[in-house]
Amino acid sequence: MSQQASIDRQEYNITAYTENQVGLLNRIAIIFSRRKINIESLNVSPSEIEGIHRFNIVINETEEVVGKLARQIEKQIEVLKVYYNTNADVIWQEMALYKVPTDVIAEKAIVERLLRENGARAVVIRKDYTVFETTGHREETDNLIRVLQPYGLIEFVRSARIAIIKASDGFNSKLREFERREPSTEPAENEYLNSRDKVFTM
Amino acid sequence: MTGAVATLQALLAEGVDTIFGYPGGAIIPIYDALYDFKEQLNHVLVRHEQGGIHAAQGYARSSGKVGVVFATSGPGATNLVTGLADALIDSTPLVCITGQVFAHLLGTDAFQETDIINITTPITKWNYQVTNAEEIPEALAKAFYIARSGRPGPVLIDITKNAQQQKHDFAPYVPCTHIRSYRPVPIVRPEYIREAAAIINQAKRPFVLWGQGVILGKAEQEFKAFIEKSGIPAAWTILGAGALPTDHPLNVGMLGMHGNYGPNVLTNECDVLIAIGMRFDDRVTGRLDKYAKQAKVIHLDIDPTEIDKNVATTVPVWGDCKETLPLLTALVDAKLHPEWHERFRVHMEQEVDAVIREELFPTSEEMTMGEVIQQLNELTEGEAVIVTDVGQHQMVACRYAKLNKTRSNITSGGLGTMGFALPAAIGAKFGTPHRPVVAIIGDGGVQMTIQELGTIMQTGVDVKIIILNNRFLGMVRQWQELFNDRRYSFVDIASPDYVTVASGYGISGKRVEARAELKQSLQQMLEHPGSFLLEVMVSKENNIFPMVPQGCSVAEIRLR
């Protein structure tokens, strides 16, 4: 059975919409740690709705476990909604920064070509070093590390994953439905609703 | 007005009448304010914060109201941890208010500082640290709303000393009725009700399992109407006990590890299993991969995380059972299921022959725990609130106590906290002063919180205490006997002279060693004005059967 479970495991992207509240990160993290589940990637950022934050959490698990975890997270008082998706159901990106000696870049044209081939962009150019950034899936950003290693890569950092769910039924409509059924008594909380057309103008 | 006064005003606005607590440096401003509120707020000074929170649990469980606890920072706050964990797993509504060091000292390892918010995060439904007086009314309004709504639970509000002292022009208190990110009651889906009713109407051998959700939802009448119309036999989890009177003909007994024989065996023979306000705890289900595999499962619960958590459902019915049960009752056919009921009756006869008769009416010389409960039943006629500790006596009391009324069985179910009963009984009496409260405690558990006899002494609360003394940590000894080749490792526990200890606290007491004195002594205890401690010397090595050994299927329940 455990063998079957390991076969069924895959990367899941958990998306949680939450209030912006001190201590909530801990409350959510505990849900994973009490089951001894490792978080592969975690990103927290403000969402398109004022006062609401968005967690992107990546774990390697079976769907059964992820489904239960998602409900446990959604049960927390300050969590509005939780979704979970496989990699196929989301558009995801990670960002990476690479610091390399400027003299090498300047001297060796090949490095410049490699950077261009990998879609990297210079962020800062200083006398002693240059910082490039690239975004993409893990294997893409990993690839550039390998390429730059022989040219004196000084430092590398990669961000957590951010992911957008492909399905078109977004959270905004859900939240509007929540508010329609049980309107908030605090007008401040409804502010974004009054400007919801602007929120999604593209 | 200071933050401390605002705190007490908030409690009054929430209808609080009783607080269990223990003062200390970081909560002195609130206690100072309390000095002027003595007429409106009854404060019970306990002897240990753990006693305080268990008392609040007993109060909440007996009254259906929110239990309130005060404790100071650091050790005061950490002493609440066991009670918080207990209240969370048993869905008990509590608001704990802890003092905290001055906000400017947070994180400096100040005197009596602990990070109680992070310590209690996994064992609270919600917690919040107030560092500014302005936040107090809103934080408390949210605390009460969260504690009592949906699936109830414990909430902790940590208030820094400066916030208690700080003056502020508070606006009138507004109770909380809505939190944007919190949906306490899921929306009922009529299609699932219809689907559930259709399955129930086709069932040949339907079986109801009910839990505390029926009591928490105040849905006892709705539950009774449902089973009486559908004619389905119903069994209870330990926390569900009392929602339906013990003698009700459709009540077929207790589920789980030390539950009744029939309900356990027949769980694996029913064709439809209807779980109402219960969470399929492992003490109820035994081995999950062999649990009711033949049955279609209908699960009614207010907490969506409980659906499919342990047992996969055929039809989930999300919602408050007070709302969902009448909808279901309207759609189910009126039936009697006589042959199916007969199966339960046959199993009950087997259990009576193998276990119950000898336990309640022993032929041996030594007294059994069961006969004490049996005698108590005859004297109280099921009207008493029974508060039990944890261990063999708990299983005996829950199995055999006669309960006529709801909120009559108060015990530590999910966490199994020894030391729970004495303080919880004190709280239960404050919660329901008009009902007799009888605490049934083992000789192990009572020594864990025996200091609360001091609380009884000081408040004069009327609690009847029965200590069932078998001179062992009986449940552990039973396991060691059955599963560890009788290697009785550190379960032989000595006791003080409880009657003398009680008398030191000004509490009357008596020790019973012979059966001939039992009934009259119980009578004396019940008729005694005020608290009374009765120590009953029971059989040393009696075992609690039936039993589903850990890791076994419920159908493998042993009668011997």
mmCIF file of all heavy atoms in Angstrom, chain A residues 19 21 26-27 30 52 68 71-72 75 77-80 178-179 181-182 184 189, chain B residues 118 121-122 124-128 146 178 180-183 187 303-305 307-309:
data_model
loop_
_atom_site.group_PDB
_atom_site.id
_atom_site.type_symbol
_atom_site.label_atom_id
_atom_site.label_comp_id
_atom_site.label_asym_id
_atom_site.label_seq_id
_atom_site.Cartn_x
_atom_site.Cartn_y
_atom_site.Cartn_z
ATOM 1 N N GLU A 19 -6.985 36.037 5.172
ATOM 2 C CA GLU A 19 -6.847 37.383 5.726
ATOM 3 C C GLU A 19 -5.356 37.629 5.953
ATOM 4 O O GLU A 19 -4.582 36.688 6.083
ATOM 5 C CB GLU A 19 -7.567 37.482 7.085
ATOM 6 C CG GLU A 19 -9.033 37.122 7.068
ATOM 7 C CD GLU A 19 -9.928 38.243 6.563
ATOM 8 O OE1 GLU A 19 -9.425 39.325 6.207
ATOM 9 O OE2 GLU A 19 -11.146 38.020 6.504
ATOM 10 N N GLN A 21 -3.070 38.267 8.463
ATOM 11 C CA GLN A 21 -3.118 38.227 9.924
ATOM 12 C C GLN A 21 -1.820 37.646 10.488
ATOM 13 O O GLN A 21 -1.331 36.631 9.992
ATOM 14 C CB GLN A 21 -4.305 37.336 10.321
ATOM 15 C CG GLN A 21 -4.645 37.310 11.767
ATOM 16 C CD GLN A 21 -5.227 38.628 12.263
ATOM 17 O OE1 GLN A 21 -4.578 39.318 13.019
ATOM 18 N NE2 GLN A 21 -6.423 38.977 11.841
ATOM 19 N N ASN A 26 2.053 30.415 10.671
ATOM 20 C CA ASN A 26 2.360 29.337 11.610
ATOM 21 C C ASN A 26 1.205 28.345 11.682
ATOM 22 O O ASN A 26 1.390 27.132 11.646
ATOM 23 C CB ASN A 26 2.622 29.956 12.983
ATOM 24 C CG ASN A 26 3.171 28.965 13.972
ATOM 25 O OD1 ASN A 26 3.747 27.954 13.583
ATOM 26 N ND2 ASN A 26 2.992 29.231 15.245
ATOM 27 N N ARG A 27 -0.002 28.878 11.771
ATOM 28 C CA ARG A 27 -1.199 28.031 11.857
ATOM 29 C C ARG A 27 -1.286 27.107 10.635
ATOM 30 O O ARG A 27 -1.648 25.937 10.747
ATOM 31 C CB ARG A 27 -2.438 28.932 11.931
ATOM 32 C CG ARG A 27 -3.545 28.404 12.787
ATOM 33 C CD ARG A 27 -4.578 29.468 13.083
ATOM 34 N NE ARG A 27 -4.643 29.768 14.508
ATOM 35 C CZ ARG A 27 -5.198 28.972 15.413
ATOM 36 N NH1 ARG A 27 -5.723 27.814 15.068
ATOM 37 N NH2 ARG A 27 -5.214 29.321 16.681
ATOM 38 N N ILE A 30 1.690 24.466 10.591
ATOM 39 C CA ILE A 30 1.490 23.374 11.553
ATOM 40 C C ILE A 30 0.661 22.240 10.952
ATOM 41 O O ILE A 30 0.887 21.064 11.265
ATOM 42 C CB ILE A 30 0.808 23.926 12.830
ATOM 43 C CG1 ILE A 30 1.827 24.664 13.691
ATOM 44 C CG2 ILE A 30 0.148 22.826 13.637
ATOM 45 C CD1 ILE A 30 1.217 25.460 14.815
ATOM 46 N N ILE A 52 -6.495 40.784 1.277
ATOM 47 C CA ILE A 52 -6.500 39.320 1.186
ATOM 48 C C ILE A 52 -5.179 38.836 0.619
ATOM 49 O O ILE A 52 -4.714 39.336 -0.413
ATOM 50 C CB ILE A 52 -7.684 38.824 0.343
ATOM 51 C CG1 ILE A 52 -8.978 39.119 1.111
ATOM 52 C CG2 ILE A 52 -7.572 37.328 0.050
ATOM 53 C CD1 ILE A 52 -10.222 38.654 0.449
ATOM 54 N N LYS A 68 -7.493 16.376 2.058
ATOM 55 C CA LYS A 68 -7.740 16.542 3.491
ATOM 56 C C LYS A 68 -7.008 17.773 4.037
ATOM 57 O O LYS A 68 -7.545 18.518 4.851
ATOM 58 C CB LYS A 68 -7.307 15.291 4.252
ATOM 59 C CG LYS A 68 -8.246 14.121 4.026
ATOM 60 C CD LYS A 68 -7.759 12.875 4.722
ATOM 61 C CE LYS A 68 -8.622 11.681 4.323
ATOM 62 N NZ LYS A 68 -8.144 10.423 4.872
ATOM 63 N N ARG A 71 -8.817 20.952 3.174
ATOM 64 C CA ARG A 71 -9.963 21.223 4.055
ATOM 65 C C ARG A 71 -9.515 21.708 5.428
ATOM 66 O O ARG A 71 -10.147 22.567 6.031
ATOM 67 C CB ARG A 71 -10.805 19.957 4.230
ATOM 68 C CG ARG A 71 -11.687 19.683 3.035
ATOM 69 C CD ARG A 71 -12.628 18.557 3.402
ATOM 70 N NE ARG A 71 -13.265 18.029 2.226
ATOM 71 C CZ ARG A 71 -14.054 16.960 2.231
ATOM 72 N NH1 ARG A 71 -14.263 16.308 3.349
ATOM 73 N NH2 ARG A 71 -14.612 16.532 1.133
ATOM 74 N N GLN A 72 -8.433 21.097 5.911
ATOM 75 C CA GLN A 72 -7.928 21.530 7.226
ATOM 76 C C GLN A 72 -7.496 22.992 7.180
ATOM 77 O O GLN A 72 -7.693 23.733 8.135
ATOM 78 C CB GLN A 72 -6.724 20.669 7.659
ATOM 79 C CG GLN A 72 -7.067 19.227 7.954
ATOM 80 C CD GLN A 72 -7.722 19.028 9.307
ATOM 81 O OE1 GLN A 72 -7.864 19.963 10.076
ATOM 82 N NE2 GLN A 72 -8.155 17.818 9.587
ATOM 83 N N LYS A 75 -10.443 25.282 7.030
ATOM 84 C CA LYS A 75 -11.157 25.324 8.310
ATOM 85 C C LYS A 75 -10.629 26.445 9.227
ATOM 86 O O LYS A 75 -11.343 26.893 10.117
ATOM 87 C CB LYS A 75 -10.986 23.963 8.991
ATOM 88 C CG LYS A 75 -11.731 23.791 10.286
ATOM 89 C CD LYS A 75 -11.515 22.381 10.811
ATOM 90 C CE LYS A 75 -11.996 22.236 12.224
ATOM 91 N NZ LYS A 75 -11.848 20.870 12.725
ATOM 92 N N ILE A 77 -9.890 29.864 10.841
ATOM 93 C CA ILE A 77 -10.819 30.998 10.841
ATOM 94 C C ILE A 77 -10.460 32.037 9.775
ATOM 95 O O ILE A 77 -11.325 32.550 9.086
ATOM 96 C CB ILE A 77 -10.821 31.682 12.237
ATOM 97 C CG1 ILE A 77 -11.201 30.689 13.336
ATOM 98 C CG2 ILE A 77 -11.736 32.910 12.239
ATOM 99 C CD1 ILE A 77 -12.591 30.138 13.295
ATOM 100 N N GLU A 78 -9.189 32.347 9.639
ATOM 101 C CA GLU A 78 -8.826 33.459 8.757
ATOM 102 C C GLU A 78 -8.569 33.054 7.314
ATOM 103 O O GLU A 78 -8.052 33.838 6.532
ATOM 104 C CB GLU A 78 -7.603 34.186 9.335
ATOM 105 C CG GLU A 78 -8.007 35.124 10.460
ATOM 106 C CD GLU A 78 -7.220 34.926 11.728
ATOM 107 O OE1 GLU A 78 -6.465 33.941 11.806
ATOM 108 O OE2 GLU A 78 -7.381 35.744 12.643
ATOM 109 N N VAL A 79 -8.930 31.838 6.979
ATOM 110 C CA VAL A 79 -8.737 31.376 5.599
ATOM 111 C C VAL A 79 -10.079 31.423 4.871
ATOM 112 O O VAL A 79 -11.076 30.881 5.354
ATOM 113 C CB VAL A 79 -8.162 29.944 5.584
ATOM 114 C CG1 VAL A 79 -8.071 29.417 4.163
ATOM 115 C CG2 VAL A 79 -6.801 29.932 6.254
ATOM 116 N N LEU A 80 -10.087 32.079 3.720
ATOM 117 C CA LEU A 80 -11.340 32.227 2.978
ATOM 118 C C LEU A 80 -11.610 31.047 2.063
ATOM 119 O O LEU A 80 -12.723 30.543 1.996
ATOM 120 C CB LEU A 80 -11.317 33.520 2.144
ATOM 121 C CG LEU A 80 -11.475 34.803 2.958
ATOM 122 C CD1 LEU A 80 -10.139 35.373 3.347
ATOM 123 C CD2 LEU A 80 -12.288 35.815 2.190
ATOM 124 N N PHE A 178 -20.017 34.540 -1.453
ATOM 125 C CA PHE A 178 -19.986 34.531 0.023
ATOM 126 C C PHE A 178 -20.664 35.776 0.570
ATOM 127 O O PHE A 178 -21.493 35.727 1.450
ATOM 128 C CB PHE A 178 -18.531 34.558 0.536
ATOM 129 C CG PHE A 178 -17.825 33.252 0.481
ATOM 130 C CD1 PHE A 178 -16.455 33.200 0.716
ATOM 131 C CD2 PHE A 178 -18.496 32.079 0.201
ATOM 132 C CE1 PHE A 178 -15.775 32.009 0.680
ATOM 133 C CE2 PHE A 178 -17.816 30.869 0.166
ATOM 134 C CZ PHE A 178 -16.450 30.852 0.392
ATOM 135 N N GLU A 179 -20.248 36.906 0.025
ATOM 136 C CA GLU A 179 -20.717 38.183 0.557
ATOM 137 C C GLU A 179 -22.199 38.393 0.259
ATOM 138 O O GLU A 179 -22.909 39.031 1.016
ATOM 139 C CB GLU A 179 -19.882 39.335 -0.030
ATOM 140 C CG GLU A 179 -18.435 39.321 0.427
ATOM 141 C CD GLU A 179 -18.275 39.788 1.870
ATOM 142 O OE1 GLU A 179 -19.091 40.583 2.341
ATOM 143 O OE2 GLU A 179 -17.309 39.341 2.529
ATOM 144 N N ARG A 181 -24.436 35.968 0.175
ATOM 145 C CA ARG A 181 -25.202 35.130 1.099
ATOM 146 C C ARG A 181 -25.148 35.647 2.524
ATOM 147 O O ARG A 181 -26.109 35.626 3.244
ATOM 148 C CB ARG A 181 -24.653 33.700 1.090
ATOM 149 C CG ARG A 181 -25.049 32.957 -0.147
ATOM 150 C CD ARG A 181 -24.593 31.520 0.022
ATOM 151 N NE ARG A 181 -24.953 30.737 -1.132
ATOM 152 C CZ ARG A 181 -24.172 29.802 -1.641
ATOM 153 N NH1 ARG A 181 -23.003 29.553 -1.111
ATOM 154 N NH2 ARG A 181 -24.560 29.111 -2.682
ATOM 155 N N GLU A 182 -23.965 36.054 2.932
ATOM 156 C CA GLU A 182 -23.794 36.537 4.305
ATOM 157 C C GLU A 182 -23.026 37.835 4.265
ATOM 158 O O GLU A 182 -21.817 37.856 4.444
ATOM 159 C CB GLU A 182 -22.985 35.514 5.123
ATOM 160 C CG GLU A 182 -23.784 34.349 5.584
ATOM 161 C CD GLU A 182 -22.912 33.409 6.402
ATOM 162 O OE1 GLU A 182 -22.469 33.800 7.486
ATOM 163 O OE2 GLU A 182 -22.656 32.293 5.921
ATOM 164 N N SER A 184 -21.035 41.097 4.784
ATOM 165 C CA SER A 184 -20.188 41.567 5.865
ATOM 166 C C SER A 184 -20.828 42.795 6.488
ATOM 167 O O SER A 184 -21.430 43.614 5.797
ATOM 168 C CB SER A 184 -18.827 41.918 5.297
ATOM 169 O OG SER A 184 -18.110 42.610 6.265
ATOM 170 N N GLU A 189 -14.642 46.150 4.654
ATOM 171 C CA GLU A 189 -14.287 44.889 4.027
ATOM 172 C C GLU A 189 -14.865 44.760 2.620
ATOM 173 O O GLU A 189 -14.444 43.942 1.851
ATOM 174 C CB GLU A 189 -14.805 43.732 4.883
ATOM 175 C CG GLU A 189 -14.051 43.617 6.178
ATOM 176 C CD GLU A 189 -14.372 42.308 6.874
ATOM 177 O OE1 GLU A 189 -15.405 41.697 6.550
ATOM 178 O OE2 GLU A 189 -13.598 41.931 7.757
ATOM 179 N N ASN B 118 1.942 31.112 20.047
ATOM 180 C CA ASN B 118 2.502 30.030 19.234
ATOM 181 C C ASN B 118 2.395 28.673 19.916
ATOM 182 O O ASN B 118 2.238 27.658 19.249
ATOM 183 C CB ASN B 118 3.950 30.344 18.839
ATOM 184 C CG ASN B 118 3.977 31.230 17.616
ATOM 185 O OD1 ASN B 118 3.276 30.974 16.640
ATOM 186 N ND2 ASN B 118 4.740 32.296 17.675
ATOM 187 N N THR B 121 -1.295 27.562 19.276
ATOM 188 C CA THR B 121 -1.867 27.598 17.918
ATOM 189 C C THR B 121 -2.479 26.260 17.484
ATOM 190 O O THR B 121 -3.617 26.235 17.019
ATOM 191 C CB THR B 121 -0.826 28.109 16.909
ATOM 192 O OG1 THR B 121 -0.569 29.479 17.216
ATOM 193 C CG2 THR B 121 -1.314 28.012 15.480
ATOM 194 N N PRO B 122 -1.779 25.141 17.657
ATOM 195 C CA PRO B 122 -2.424 23.907 17.189
ATOM 196 C C PRO B 122 -3.542 23.386 18.084
ATOM 197 O O PRO B 122 -4.213 22.436 17.709
ATOM 198 C CB PRO B 122 -1.270 22.892 17.148
ATOM 199 C CG PRO B 122 -0.176 23.469 17.936
ATOM 200 C CD PRO B 122 -0.413 24.917 18.141
ATOM 201 N N THR B 124 -5.993 25.471 19.614
ATOM 202 C CA THR B 124 -7.100 26.414 19.755
ATOM 203 C C THR B 124 -7.829 26.504 18.431
ATOM 204 O O THR B 124 -7.243 26.298 17.370
ATOM 205 C CB THR B 124 -6.604 27.836 20.116
ATOM 206 O OG1 THR B 124 -5.549 28.201 19.220
ATOM 207 C CG2 THR B 124 -6.129 27.913 21.541
ATOM 208 N N LYS B 125 -9.107 26.823 18.512
ATOM 209 C CA LYS B 125 -9.850 27.082 17.281
ATOM 210 C C LYS B 125 -9.373 28.408 16.692
ATOM 211 O O LYS B 125 -9.313 28.586 15.481
ATOM 212 C CB LYS B 125 -11.354 27.126 17.608
ATOM 213 C CG LYS B 125 -12.238 27.189 16.379
ATOM 214 C CD LYS B 125 -13.706 27.070 16.748
ATOM 215 C CE LYS B 125 -14.588 27.324 15.529
ATOM 216 N NZ LYS B 125 -16.008 27.415 15.872
ATOM 217 N N TRP B 126 -9.021 29.330 17.576
ATOM 218 C CA TRP B 126 -8.496 30.637 17.162
ATOM 219 C C TRP B 126 -7.782 31.236 18.361
ATOM 220 O O TRP B 126 -8.169 30.956 19.506
ATOM 221 C CB TRP B 126 -9.656 31.551 16.749
ATOM 222 C CG TRP B 126 -9.248 32.869 16.153
ATOM 223 C CD1 TRP B 126 -8.609 33.070 14.964
ATOM 224 C CD2 TRP B 126 -9.477 34.175 16.713
ATOM 225 N NE1 TRP B 126 -8.436 34.414 14.749
ATOM 226 C CE2 TRP B 126 -8.963 35.118 15.803
ATOM 227 C CE3 TRP B 126 -10.074 34.642 17.892
ATOM 228 C CZ2 TRP B 126 -9.015 36.499 16.025
ATOM 229 C CZ3 TRP B 126 -10.128 36.017 18.112
ATOM 230 C CH2 TRP B 126 -9.607 36.932 17.185
ATOM 231 N N ASN B 127 -6.737 31.999 18.117
ATOM 232 C CA ASN B 127 -6.140 32.748 19.222
ATOM 233 C C ASN B 127 -5.640 34.090 18.713
ATOM 234 O O ASN B 127 -5.478 34.290 17.508
ATOM 235 C CB ASN B 127 -5.041 31.946 19.930
ATOM 236 C CG ASN B 127 -3.882 31.584 19.021
ATOM 237 O OD1 ASN B 127 -3.760 32.077 17.904
ATOM 238 N ND2 ASN B 127 -3.016 30.706 19.492
ATOM 239 N N TYR B 128 -5.443 35.011 19.638
ATOM 240 C CA TYR B 128 -5.086 36.366 19.224
ATOM 241 C C TYR B 128 -4.396 37.089 20.371
ATOM 242 O O TYR B 128 -4.793 36.954 21.535
ATOM 243 C CB TYR B 128 -6.351 37.135 18.814
ATOM 244 C CG TYR B 128 -6.049 38.492 18.215
ATOM 245 C CD1 TYR B 128 -5.552 38.601 16.922
ATOM 246 C CD2 TYR B 128 -6.242 39.658 18.964
ATOM 247 C CE1 TYR B 128 -5.251 39.842 16.372
ATOM 248 C CE2 TYR B 128 -5.945 40.904 18.418
ATOM 249 C CZ TYR B 128 -5.456 40.992 17.124
ATOM 250 O OH TYR B 128 -5.159 42.211 16.586
ATOM 251 N N ILE B 146 -16.514 32.934 17.675
ATOM 252 C CA ILE B 146 -15.805 31.765 17.141
ATOM 253 C C ILE B 146 -15.955 30.565 18.084
ATOM 254 O O ILE B 146 -16.191 29.443 17.650
ATOM 255 C CB ILE B 146 -14.319 32.115 16.895
ATOM 256 C CG1 ILE B 146 -14.205 33.106 15.730
ATOM 257 C CG2 ILE B 146 -13.489 30.863 16.623
ATOM 258 C CD1 ILE B 146 -12.843 33.762 15.580
ATOM 259 N N HIS B 178 -20.434 37.987 12.293
ATOM 260 C CA HIS B 178 -19.950 37.607 10.963
ATOM 261 C C HIS B 178 -18.455 37.886 10.857
ATOM 262 O O HIS B 178 -17.981 38.921 11.273
ATOM 263 C CB HIS B 178 -20.702 38.428 9.905
ATOM 264 C CG HIS B 178 -20.187 38.209 8.513
ATOM 265 N ND1 HIS B 178 -20.610 37.166 7.735
ATOM 266 C CD2 HIS B 178 -19.275 38.891 7.777
ATOM 267 C CE1 HIS B 178 -19.980 37.218 6.568
ATOM 268 N NE2 HIS B 178 -19.171 38.256 6.570
ATOM 269 N N ARG B 180 -15.609 37.614 7.755
ATOM 270 C CA ARG B 180 -15.561 37.377 6.311
ATOM 271 C C ARG B 180 -15.001 36.007 5.952
ATOM 272 O O ARG B 180 -15.497 35.320 5.066
ATOM 273 C CB ARG B 180 -14.725 38.483 5.654
ATOM 274 C CG ARG B 180 -14.523 38.267 4.173
ATOM 275 C CD ARG B 180 -13.904 39.468 3.520
ATOM 276 N NE ARG B 180 -12.553 39.708 4.005
ATOM 277 C CZ ARG B 180 -11.754 40.648 3.518
ATOM 278 N NH1 ARG B 180 -12.181 41.450 2.573
ATOM 279 N NH2 ARG B 180 -10.552 40.811 3.999
ATOM 280 N N SER B 181 -13.960 35.604 6.661
ATOM 281 C CA SER B 181 -13.260 34.377 6.269
ATOM 282 C C SER B 181 -13.748 33.142 7.019
ATOM 283 O O SER B 181 -13.093 32.123 7.004
ATOM 284 C CB SER B 181 -11.772 34.568 6.520
ATOM 285 O OG SER B 181 -11.559 34.940 7.867
ATOM 286 N N TYR B 182 -14.870 33.239 7.705
ATOM 287 C CA TYR B 182 -15.313 32.139 8.573
ATOM 288 C C TYR B 182 -16.747 31.763 8.247
ATOM 289 O O TYR B 182 -17.644 32.592 8.348
ATOM 290 C CB TYR B 182 -15.172 32.598 10.024
ATOM 291 C CG TYR B 182 -15.704 31.663 11.081
ATOM 292 C CD1 TYR B 182 -15.364 30.319 11.098
ATOM 293 C CD2 TYR B 182 -16.533 32.144 12.091
ATOM 294 C CE1 TYR B 182 -15.854 29.482 12.096
ATOM 295 C CE2 TYR B 182 -17.012 31.324 13.091
ATOM 296 C CZ TYR B 182 -16.676 29.987 13.087
ATOM 297 O OH TYR B 182 -17.152 29.167 14.080
ATOM 298 N N ARG B 183 -16.926 30.536 7.816
ATOM 299 C CA ARG B 183 -18.279 30.021 7.525
ATOM 300 C C ARG B 183 -18.583 28.944 8.552
ATOM 301 O O ARG B 183 -18.237 27.780 8.345
ATOM 302 C CB ARG B 183 -18.355 29.380 6.140
ATOM 303 C CG ARG B 183 -17.797 30.190 5.013
ATOM 304 C CD ARG B 183 -18.761 31.226 4.525
ATOM 305 N NE ARG B 183 -18.052 32.503 4.474
ATOM 306 C CZ ARG B 183 -18.629 33.672 4.240
ATOM 307 N NH1 ARG B 183 -19.909 33.733 4.058
ATOM 308 N NH2 ARG B 183 -17.911 34.781 4.215
ATOM 309 N N ILE B 187 -23.580 25.415 3.978
ATOM 310 C CA ILE B 187 -24.915 25.534 3.376
ATOM 311 C C ILE B 187 -25.455 24.137 3.064
ATOM 312 O O ILE B 187 -24.758 23.296 2.494
ATOM 313 C CB ILE B 187 -24.837 26.412 2.119
ATOM 314 C CG1 ILE B 187 -24.597 27.859 2.565
ATOM 315 C CG2 ILE B 187 -26.096 26.316 1.270
ATOM 316 C CD1 ILE B 187 -23.906 28.705 1.573
ATOM 317 N N ASP B 303 -18.870 20.037 10.410
ATOM 318 C CA ASP B 303 -17.476 20.344 10.093
ATOM 319 C C ASP B 303 -17.069 19.587 8.824
ATOM 320 O O ASP B 303 -16.899 18.368 8.852
ATOM 321 C CB ASP B 303 -16.599 19.911 11.277
ATOM 322 C CG ASP B 303 -15.132 20.207 11.039
ATOM 323 O OD1 ASP B 303 -14.783 20.628 9.920
ATOM 324 O OD2 ASP B 303 -14.335 20.020 11.974
ATOM 325 N N PRO B 304 -16.918 20.304 7.712
ATOM 326 C CA PRO B 304 -16.603 19.609 6.454
ATOM 327 C C PRO B 304 -15.306 18.798 6.517
ATOM 328 O O PRO B 304 -15.156 17.824 5.780
ATOM 329 C CB PRO B 304 -16.463 20.750 5.439
ATOM 330 C CG PRO B 304 -17.161 21.909 6.054
ATOM 331 C CD PRO B 304 -17.038 21.748 7.536
ATOM 332 N N THR B 305 -14.385 19.161 7.405
ATOM 333 C CA THR B 305 -13.128 18.408 7.454
ATOM 334 C C THR B 305 -13.334 16.999 8.018
ATOM 335 O O THR B 305 -12.473 16.140 7.855
ATOM 336 C CB THR B 305 -12.050 19.109 8.303
ATOM 337 O OG1 THR B 305 -12.535 19.248 9.626
ATOM 338 C CG2 THR B 305 -11.694 20.458 7.745
ATOM 339 N N ILE B 307 -15.853 15.039 7.140
ATOM 340 C CA ILE B 307 -16.412 14.191 6.081
ATOM 341 C C ILE B 307 -15.244 13.554 5.311
ATOM 342 O O ILE B 307 -14.331 14.253 4.883
ATOM 343 C CB ILE B 307 -17.289 15.031 5.115
ATOM 344 C CG1 ILE B 307 -18.332 15.840 5.886
ATOM 345 C CG2 ILE B 307 -17.869 14.147 4.004
ATOM 346 C CD1 ILE B 307 -19.650 15.219 6.155
ATOM 347 N N ASP B 308 -15.292 12.261 5.161
ATOM 348 C CA ASP B 308 -14.256 11.508 4.431
ATOM 349 C C ASP B 308 -12.880 11.541 5.102
ATOM 350 O O ASP B 308 -11.894 11.132 4.497
ATOM 351 C CB ASP B 308 -14.095 12.013 2.982
ATOM 352 C CG ASP B 308 -15.316 11.719 2.130
ATOM 353 O OD1 ASP B 308 -16.054 10.781 2.470
ATOM 354 O OD2 ASP B 308 -15.520 12.428 1.128
ATOM 355 N N LYS B 309 -12.786 12.052 6.315
ATOM 356 C CA LYS B 309 -11.464 12.109 6.960
ATOM 357 C C LYS B 309 -10.982 10.705 7.306
ATOM 358 O O LYS B 309 -9.857 10.343 6.982
ATOM 359 C CB LYS B 309 -11.508 12.976 8.226
ATOM 360 C CG LYS B 309 -10.133 13.212 8.833
ATOM 361 C CD LYS B 309 -10.200 14.037 10.110
ATOM 362 C CE LYS B 309 -10.590 13.188 11.292
ATOM 363 N NZ LYS B 309 -10.602 13.933 12.563
#
